[in-house]
Amino acid sequence: MAAEQRCYVIFSALFAPSMGGVENYTQCLARELRRDGSRVIVVTSMLGDEPAREVNADGVEVVRLPATVLLKGRLPISRRNADYRRLWGYLSSVRADYVLVNTRFYRHSLEGLRYARDKGITPILIEHGSAHLTLGNAVFDRALALYEHAITGLVKRGRPLFYGVSEKSNRWLEHFGIRAEGVLKNAIDAPEFRALASARDFLTENGIGGDAFVVGYAGRLTPEKGIASLMEAADLLQEEEGIHFLVAGSGSCESLVSDAKRGNVTFLGRLDKADLSALLSQLDMFCLPSRSEGFATVLLESGAWGIPFAATDVGGVDELAGSEDGKLLLASASPDEIADAIKYARDNREEMRCIGRRLREHVENECTWLSTASSVRSACSNTMAPSSS
């Protein structure tokens, strides 16, 4: 007799076509869980004119709850209207075995915990951060911290099993009085990511010579990502020979890059996945001076191409950088420290190539979705699933 199909319901406030680390984690994990024949449903927010229900190309069902979108799309709040009640009725009819919830700080996460409670399932909550949210304003940041503590208190009432995407995320959970059960780490299909690369030649397009030392950044251009410090480091390096920055992304700090007249910085705007893969393949170094990460996807993507990185010691950075490579871990996101790391890398290119080779091997062998999905299945085996709904 064929094995009974298991059903995973994953609550993630943001999902494709929105782009970001949590979205990518959810999409790739759902696809990998689906590969053994399991049913996978992602419950997310309606951000635009996407269908309320669909099955995507990976065979994953997507349910989008009506939402009011705040903070330029980063904070969706569900609207419990007639469409919401209809979709919730559908979800209530599903025979779910496991419930996964991504991140603590969305109201959507509370809905995932409510769904698990109604189903009699112990949910798994996956933490993706390692510091408080920030908007780059002291008053607003204090309000955000208070909000995080308040909503985390509500999350704890749902009695989920907590996991982080990195050891740093697990230590951050301790800030809220939470003990993590383990790590369900971020991952990448490295060969697939490399195969995605478009044919674009960013160096030729932007008149960058072959002898240049090219430093890249890609991601959201927001205060917590340290883009202001990176641009100040670029200012400090304007007189340094051969260093050029390629910056891709969009966000509230975009004008810091796009409006400035720097001869050593080229702003590329937001890139799709194929162009991002091509860009990373053409860099000498990647830089991520972020103040908060769980386990940055873009560092895995950089590693898939064997591109060394300089990054603040947040999220899973120290889990990617071996002890021999620690000199590129930034103790802070100060412009001076970033500039010094970039100059060191430029002046020690052969060492950088060795670091890149070790990084690529580690990402290829240790950071796979097959491994993470296996860890998720093991974590789910520790939860109580009903025999029927």
Side-chain angles (χ1 to χ4, degrees):
M1 185 171 64
E4 182 181 8
Q5 183 187 52
R6 311 303 281 174
C7 178
Y8 298 83
V9 181
I10 306 175
F11 279 76
S12 184
L14 299 172
F15 190 64
S18 174
M19 295 175 64
V22 177
E23 295 94 314
N24 183 76
Y25 183 97
T26 305
Q27 185 170 15
C28 293
L29 176 60
R31 178 177 62 183
E32 191 62 45
L33 292 172
R34 182 78 183 87
R35 282 178 173 166
D36 70 357
S38 295
R39 183 182 183 185
V40 182
I41 303 172
V42 172
V43 185
T44 187
S45 309
M46 177 75 73
L47 300 181
D49 57 0
E50 306 90 0
R53 284 179 57 190
E54 67 174 335
V55 177
N56 69 17
D58 298 322
V60 173
E61 298 176 54
V62 183
V63 175
R64 296 183 175 92
L65 302 176
T68 299
V69 183
L70 306 175
L71 295 181
K72 297 184 178 180
R74 301 308 299 175
L75 185 61
I77 306 293
S78 293
R79 291 187 286 114
R80 296 187 178 182
N81 56 19
D83 288 336
Y84 178 100
R85 291 190 289 273
R86 175 177 55 82
L87 291 167
W88 196 265
Y90 166 71
L91 291 170
S92 297
S93 72
V94 170
R95 193 198 62 78
D97 295 290
Y98 309 112
V99 176
L100 308 175
V101 178
N102 272 317
T103 74
R104 293 168 293 102
F105 47 77
Y106 292 109
R107 175 172 160 178
H108 188 89
S109 300
L110 297 177
E111 291 173 297
L113 299 177
R114 173 167 65 94
Y115 181 80
R117 182 199 64 205
D118 292 347
K119 291 289 186 181
I121 299 171
T122 300
I124 289 173
L125 190 140
I126 306 172
E127 172 61 17
H128 288 258
S130 60
H132 280 301
L133 301 169
T134 180
L135 292 173
N137 177 290
V139 174
F140 289 153
D141 287 352
R142 176 60 179 162
L144 275 175
L146 292 173
Y147 163 80
E148 272 200 76
H149 279 274
I151 198 166
T152 302
L154 296 176
V155 164
K156 289 164 72 172
R157 293 181 188 176
R159 298 186 176 277
L161 298 178
F162 288 92
Y163 290 79
V165 294
S166 66
E167 292 292 350
K168 280 282 198 325
S169 290
N170 285 358
R171 290 196 288 275
W172 177 236
L173 285 171
E174 294 173 5
H175 175 74
F176 301 96
I178 295 168
R179 182 185 66 83
E181 304 290 330
V183 175
L184 300 175
K185 66 184 177 183
N186 200 2
I188 189 172
D189 185 328
E192 180 185 80
F193 181 73
R194 291 193 296 269
L196 277 175
S198 72
R200 288 187 67 179
D201 182 340
F202 288 95
L203 305 188
T204 300
E205 283 181 22
N206 295 286
I208 300 171
D211 293 333
F213 187 80
V214 184
V215 181
Y217 171 90
R220 287 187 289 119
L221 303 178
T222 54
E224 69 269 21
K225 297 296 184 180
I227 191 65
S229 293
L230 183 61
M231 290 300 93
E232 289 181 47
D235 290 337
L236 294 174
L237 294 169
Q238 288 215 58
E239 303 304 317
E240 290 288 330
E241 184 178 354
I243 297 175
H244 197 93
F245 293 80
L246 291 176
V247 178
S250 61
S252 60
C253 296
E254 185 173 322
S255 62
L256 293 177
V257 187
S258 60
D259 294 348
K261 306 299 181 185
R262 298 182 180 91
N264 61 344
V265 177
T266 299
F267 178 53
L268 302 174
R270 182 172 173 173
L271 301 180
D272 63 20
K273 207 77 165 176
D275 283 347
L276 173 62
S277 181
L279 170 65
L280 292 175
S281 74
Q282 295 161 38
L283 300 178
D284 295 295
M285 181 184 193
F286 190 84
C287 191
L288 184 67
S290 178
R291 70 175 297 276
S292 176
E293 298 286 344
F295 198 140
T297 298
V298 73
L299 294 184
L300 292 169
E301 293 167 338
S302 174
W305 280 108
I307 304 302
F309 59 79
T312 39
D313 190 8
V314 298
V317 170
D318 60 345
E319 295 164 48
L320 279 179
S323 57
E324 318 97 317
D325 312 333
K327 59 177 66 68
L328 294 182
L329 289 182
L330 305 172
S332 73
S334 75
D336 286 332
E337 190 168 353
I338 296 169
D340 287 344
I342 292 171
K343 284 190 289 185
Y344 180 89
R346 179 202 57 186
D347 296 339
N348 295 274
R349 297 195 189 202
E350 183 54 41
E351 181 182 352
M352 293 303 105
R353 283 189 280 270
C354 291
I355 289 174
R357 286 192 291 270
R358 288 195 293 269
L359 177 60
R360 176 166 170 164
E361 182 179 359
H362 176 78
V363 167
E364 199 95 31
N365 297 326
E366 305 297 330
C367 301
T368 68
W369 284 113
L370 180 65
S371 174
T372 295
S374 177
S375 296
V376 168
R377 292 186 185 99
S378 178
C380 286
S381 71
N382 294 325
T383 66
M384 295 297 290
S387 58
S388 62
S389 293

